[in-house]
């Protein structure tokens, strides 16, 4: 089943009136409360002041007139295409077209052999990319874990190198600084055949966590965001407030604050470079009020993230958000229900680019190879829902029903043979549908063990690097590649 770019928009947690109310509230926040900023953003602040924003330099506060916001968000593209080097997994982000993939910055991985958590490495990142490259329903590869075994100075280029070598799907990640960004663009341009070719069909994109919720610009991330704008590299404007901690306890209040942060970020991007490709990057979350940690598996996360697509669509900008998180510590039943709920709600909501949708455990602290296999199945099922039920003469099968007649059966009907593999979801094998006897003969494996077996099979196959040898050599001559 081709599950990329199916249309959602069939679940709408916000009414049209609710959308308008939140949007107007966000405009009021920007006009009245404003956005604070850190030191080191003088050029950005001057740009905003020249455009008509009111700047209190003593308080480090920027207030945005409504007309300024309206004018700038109208310049943002309504469609962003994130390309894939394999030619098969381009992502057309627009309207209610749905795509789901990996995400996160986990620092632990459940070892495939021992099942125990350990620090994630550069090799783990590469292997997870190889795994995702072979899982059909995971549409893109956003760096899911932090290589803890390499120096920080070599992090950015090695992280992108590992991802680009592992998969031909679109690659997204954050970067540490502008120097690292330029090294990544240089490497990607070598693979693209030149910088112009990369800008024409960008197969990399950058997460820029420009907003420190509530309502404050991060200097380093804002600078990276603006440099991506200038270089023609798509950006996701990541902002992730937690209700009850860094945003109001209520969902409506969290959405209003987050929408204000996004409007401010889009305004900065479009002033920096009109028409710059970007994704509205709202990731509303919840604080665990007992521990003050992140609460990733709540059903309300699915509801708010579906609402984020509605808010992005209201200003005609494609969105990036979150689904598939869980507070479970290993691939178990809790992980299953928490992931399935938020993935299905996000997909039915029509979100364009949902990261975190595969592999994540323990509120984004941990990943597990087998969890990617399991989540590939969940994503595939959610996308099957979006396909709906086809109703036409062929699918109604009146002639077939008449031919088989009363008391007959359809087992050997040519119509059955024709549709048995296309009408219903065909998974990757992690779902067990055998009889108990067959299951016992196969070793009585549970879902996690079946996921491990599939992951091992993929990772034990011969490697097929996505970086040609001659380009690989050139990259290694220019950069300190550690993989």
């Amino acid at each position: 089943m081709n599950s990329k770019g199916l249309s959602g928009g069939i679940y709408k947690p916000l009414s049209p009136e609710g959308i308008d109310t939140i949007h107007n509230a966000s405009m009021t926040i920007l006009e009245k409360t404003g956005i604070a900023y850190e030191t080191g953003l003088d050029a950005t602040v001057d740009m905003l002041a020249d455009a008509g924003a009111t700047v209190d330099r003593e308080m480090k506060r920027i207030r945005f007139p409504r007309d300024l916001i309206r004018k700038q968000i109208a310049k943002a593209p309504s469609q962003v295409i994130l390309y894939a080097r394999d030619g098969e997994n381009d992502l057309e982000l627009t309207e209610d077209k749905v795509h789901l993939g990996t995400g996160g910055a986990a620092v632990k991985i459940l070892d495939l052999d021992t099942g125990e958590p350990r620090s994630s490495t550069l090799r783990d990142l590469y292997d997870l990319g190889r795994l995702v490259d072979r899982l059909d329903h995971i549409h893109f590869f956003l760096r899911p874990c932090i290589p803890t075994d390499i120096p920080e100075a070599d992090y950015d280029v090695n992280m992108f190198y590992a991802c680009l070598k592992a998969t031909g799907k679109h690659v997204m990640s954050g970067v540490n600084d502008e120097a690292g960004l330029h090294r990544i663009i240089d490497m990607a341009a070598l693979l693209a055949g030149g910088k112009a070719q990369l800008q024409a069909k960008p197969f990399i994109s950058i997460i820029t966590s420009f907003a420190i919720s509530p309502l404050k610009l991060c200097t380093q991330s804002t600078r990276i965001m603006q440099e991506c704008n200038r270089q023609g590299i798509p950006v996701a404007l990541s902002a992730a407030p937690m209700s009850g901690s860094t945003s109001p306890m209520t969902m409506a209040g969290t959405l209003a604050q987050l929408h204000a942060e996004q409007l401010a970020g889009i305004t900065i991007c479009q002033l920096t470079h009109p028409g710059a490709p970007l994704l509205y990057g709202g990731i509303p979350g919840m604080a665990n009020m007992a521990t003050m940690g992140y609460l990733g598996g709540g059903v309300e996360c699915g509801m708010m993230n579906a609402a984020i697509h509605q808010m992005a669509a209201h200003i005609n900008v494609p969105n990036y958000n979150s689904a598939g998180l869980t507070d479970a510590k290993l691939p178990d039943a809790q992980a299953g229900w928490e992931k399935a709920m938020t993935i299905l709600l996000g997909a039915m909501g029509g979100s364009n680019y949902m990261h975190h949708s595969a592999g994540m455990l323990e509120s984004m602290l941990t990943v597990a190879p087998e969890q990617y296999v399991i989540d590939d199945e969940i994503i595939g099922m959610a996308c099957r829902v979006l396909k709906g039920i086809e109703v036409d003469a062929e699918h109604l099968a009146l002639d077939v029903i008449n031919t088989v007649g009363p008391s007959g059966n359809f087992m050997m009907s040519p119509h059955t043979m024709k549709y048995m593999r296309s009408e219903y979801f065909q998974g990757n094998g992690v779902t067990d549908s055998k009889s108990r006897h067959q299951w016992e003969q196969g070793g009585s494996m549970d879902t996690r063990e079946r996921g491990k077996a599939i992951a091992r099979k993929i990772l034990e196959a011969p490697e097929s690097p996505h970086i040609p040898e001659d380009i690989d050599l050139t990259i290694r001559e220019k950069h300190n590649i550690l993989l």
Side-chain angles (χ1 to χ4, degrees):
M1 181 185 79
N2 182 3
S3 60
K4 293 184 297 297
L6 296 170
S7 289
I10 52 180
Y11 168 58
K12 298 180 184 294
L14 295 174
S15 67
E17 295 77 18
I19 295 169
D20 284 336
T21 300
I22 290 173
H23 181 73
N24 288 327
S26 301
M27 290 286 212
T28 299
I29 290 169
L30 290 175
E31 195 172 46
K32 181 179 179 181
T33 307
I35 298 280
Y37 61 93
E38 297 180 327
T39 58
L41 278 176
D42 291 345
T44 303
V45 173
D46 289 345
M47 177 187 74
L48 287 165
D50 290 343
T54 301
V55 178
D56 183 334
R57 295 181 190 272
E58 184 177 344
M59 296 294 294
K60 288 187 167 53
R61 188 78 64 91
I62 308 163
R63 292 178 174 85
F64 295 73
R66 294 182 181 227
D67 286 345
L68 171 61
I69 297 168
R70 292 190 189 102
K71 183 177 179 181
Q72 297 308 318
I73 62 176
K75 298 176 183 177
S78 61
Q79 178 193 65
V80 173
I81 299 177
L82 301 180
Y83 289 88
R85 285 181 301 137
D86 61 13
E88 298 176 359
N89 287 284
D90 293 348
L91 312 175
E92 184 185 358
L93 311 183
T94 188
E95 298 178 340
D96 295 323
K97 292 189 175 182
V98 170
H99 308 83
L100 301 104
T102 64
V107 294
K108 295 184 288 184
I109 185 170
L110 300 186
D111 189 275
L112 189 55
D113 294 321
T114 68
E116 295 299 315
R118 58 171 174 78
S119 296
S120 51
T121 67
L122 187 62
R123 179 71 200 196
D124 290 327
L125 178 59
Y126 175 60
D127 283 342
L128 292 177
R130 292 176 55 220
L131 184 60
V132 167
D133 196 55
R134 295 280 304 278
L135 294 171
D136 291 339
H137 303 299
I138 299 176
H139 304 144
F140 55 84
F141 190 59
L142 191 158
R143 173 234 47 220
C145 65
I146 301 297
T148 60
D149 60 336
I150 62 175
E152 185 176 341
D154 295 316
Y155 170 78
D156 286 335
V157 72
N158 275 278
M159 179 267 302
F160 260 94
Y161 174 87
C163 295
L164 291 168
K165 183 177 181 178
T167 181
K169 296 180 181 181
H170 184 83
V171 170
M172 177 186 280
S173 180
V175 297
N176 286 335
D177 52 41
E178 292 165 88
L181 172 65
H182 286 292
R183 284 192 287 270
I184 290 160
I185 292 173
D186 176 74
M187 179 172 61
L190 287 171
L191 287 166
K195 191 172 178 180
Q197 290 88 333
L198 175 64
Q199 291 173 335
K201 291 189 174 183
F203 51 79
I204 62 167
S205 54
I206 305 296
I207 307 165
T208 55
S209 300
F210 76 102
I212 304 169
S213 296
L215 302 169
K216 188 175 185 179
L217 296 178
C218 169
T219 296
Q220 186 73 294
S221 294
T222 300
R223 285 177 170 176
I224 292 168
M225 177 179 77
Q226 290 182 276
E227 186 59 18
C228 287
N229 299 153
R230 298 182 191 103
Q231 298 293 328
I233 302 299
V235 290
L237 308 188
S238 180
M242 296 190 296
S243 65
S245 172
T246 55
S247 67
M249 189 72 243
T250 53
M251 287 188 275
T254 293
L255 292 170
Q257 177 192 301
L258 183 46
H259 188 59
E261 291 167 347
Q262 289 298 308
L263 293 175
I266 294 169
T267 297
I268 292 170
C269 287
Q270 297 309 313
L271 283 170
T272 302
H273 188 84
L278 57 83
L279 305 181
Y280 178 119
I283 314 170
M286 303 153 60
N288 184 331
M289 300 308 290
T291 67
M292 296 314 296
Y294 189 81
L295 191 63
V299 68
E300 293 87 356
C301 279
M303 295 168 65
M304 286 192 289
N305 276 277
I308 280 297
H309 174 65
Q310 292 182 274
M311 298 309 302
H314 184 66
I315 60 170
N316 204 25
V317 175
N319 80 291
Y320 152 111
N321 64 353
S322 185
L325 293 176
T326 179
D327 301 304
K329 313 307 180 285
L330 72 165
D332 61 7
Q334 178 184 336
W337 76 62
E338 288 182 338
K339 285 169 170 287
M341 285 296 292
T342 59
I343 287 171
L344 186 58
L345 289 175
M348 292 176 68
S351 289
N352 303 128
Y353 187 100
M354 283 174 278
H355 76 314
H356 294 139
S357 299
M360 303 301 293
L361 293 163
E362 199 179 350
S363 298
M364 297 188 285
L365 292 174
T366 304
V367 291
E370 63 270 29
Q371 190 66 63
Y372 289 89
V373 177
I374 296 167
D375 291 345
D376 178 72
E377 191 93 333
I378 295 173
I379 292 169
M381 288 181 173
C383 290
R384 176 63 188 89
V385 170
L386 302 185
K387 291 189 75 173
I389 297 174
E390 193 168 350
V391 180
D392 57 22
E394 178 71 9
H395 285 78
L396 281 171
L398 297 182
D399 289 342
V400 180
I401 294 169
N402 185 57
T403 299
V404 171
S407 301
N409 76 76
F410 296 82
M411 292 294 293
M412 299 308 295
S413 168
H415 187 271
T416 300
M417 299 298 108
K418 181 177 180 180
Y419 288 104
M420 63 184 293
R421 289 184 176 85
S422 60
E423 183 76 357
Y424 300 98
F425 175 71
Q426 304 294 312
N428 60 29
V430 73
T431 297
D432 176 73
S433 55
K434 302 181 180 70
S435 68
R436 175 171 288 274
H437 177 68
Q438 291 172 320
W439 174 71
E440 289 171 345
Q441 282 190 321
S444 304
M445 291 192 294
D446 63 14
T447 303
R448 186 179 183 186
E449 289 304 317
R450 290 193 297 273
K452 284 185 175 183
I454 294 169
R456 283 195 190 97
K457 183 177 180 181
I458 291 173
L459 294 176
E460 288 171 359
E463 295 182 21
S464 300
H466 287 269
I467 297 180
E469 287 186 17
D470 57 335
I471 298 177
D472 189 274
L473 202 62
T474 303
I475 291 171
R476 290 177 183 276
E477 288 172 352
K478 299 183 71 172
H479 304 288
N480 184 28
I481 300 301
L482 302 173
L483 184 66

